[in-house]
Amino acid sequence: HKEYRRQRQMCIRDRPNLVKRIVFPLVLLPLVPVLANFLESLIGLLPLLLLTALTKGQVPLTWLLLPLIWLPQLLVTTLLAFGLSGLTVFLRDIPQILSVILNLWLYMTPVVYPSSSIPAGLRDWVLALNPLALIVESYRDVLLLGQCPPLLPLAGLTLVSSILALASGLGYRRLSRGFADVL
């Protein structure tokens, strides 16, 4: 995960020749690592799907709901990629700070523990303030439990992350005008 984070954060600084010398759609630079890692995670999902089907003896129909989880996941990572990669050109300390923040965020996300283990008074706050908690729990519901994910919260997350991804993309576009000067 550290290499993925470095790729996402440094995707512009590592390619100054693309920014300075040729006409290149700079919007692609943050999107390439997001889409490449998403594709890699889909390939990694195949053994889990196969193992789950073998252990349960059937293929749950809830797997068809995976695109409902993928959309907000892609939007959240896209908004982070646009915002952080654009700012990293100007503020070079962001990768070091972000490394600490992402490690803390991982522990606040119910990846290795179910959200039911979070005290009831805090659970609603964790799920409301941490978009990845909802995504992880939705994956758990669909893949392991064979249950429908919480559709209303996923729709809300998709709407909010769409708006923020658009705003982040516009901010990135505005910042990209100064990339060549800084690099």
Side-chain angles (χ1 to χ4, degrees):
H1 287 95
K2 288 184 180 183
E3 180 60 25
Y4 165 66
R5 283 186 279 196
R6 195 197 78 70
Q7 287 174 351
R8 189 177 65 221
Q9 296 161 4
M10 308 297 274
C11 63
I12 299 168
R13 283 189 24 207
D14 288 349
R15 295 167 185 85
N17 55 333
L18 293 177
V19 175
K20 292 179 179 182
R21 293 195 177 90
I22 61 173
V23 177
F24 182 80
L26 296 178
V27 72
L28 294 178
L29 290 176
L31 291 178
V32 167
V34 168
L35 295 175
N37 284 288
F38 178 70
L39 183 61
E40 184 181 320
S41 72
L42 289 182
I43 293 168
L45 188 62
L46 293 175
L48 176 65
L49 294 175
L50 181 65
L51 187 62
T52 305
L54 289 174
T55 58
K56 292 189 176 203
Q58 64 179 354
V59 176
L61 291 177
T62 55
W63 290 1
L64 298 173
L65 299 174
L66 282 172
L68 296 177
I69 304 169
W70 294 336
L71 182 60
Q73 176 186 352
L74 276 171
L75 289 167
V76 167
T77 54
T78 299
L79 80 90
L80 289 172
F82 276 138
L84 295 172
S85 64
L87 289 174
T88 300
V89 173
F90 299 99
L91 306 169
R92 303 204 181 235
D93 292 334
I94 287 181
Q96 291 77 21
I97 296 167
L98 191 62
S99 177
V100 173
I101 291 171
L102 288 177
N103 280 327
L104 290 173
W105 194 4
L106 172 68
Y107 291 114
M108 292 173 34
T109 304
V111 175
V112 294
Y113 58 90
S115 64
S116 59
S117 66
I118 302 171
L122 294 174
R123 188 176 313 134
D124 291 338
W125 284 99
V126 168
L127 293 176
L129 296 175
N130 186 351
L132 291 183
L134 177 60
I135 292 170
V136 167
E137 284 295 307
S138 296
Y139 271 117
R140 188 175 284 128
D141 290 345
V142 167
L143 296 173
L144 301 178
L145 303 176
Q147 299 174 353
C148 184
L151 296 178
L152 191 59
L154 273 177
L157 177 60
T158 302
L159 178 65
V160 169
S161 58
S162 297
I163 293 167
L164 292 176
L166 180 63
S168 181
L170 292 173
Y172 173 84
R173 188 172 173 194
R174 188 171 218 185
L175 286 173
S176 69
R177 296 178 193 147
F179 289 171
D181 296 333
V182 175
L183 295 175

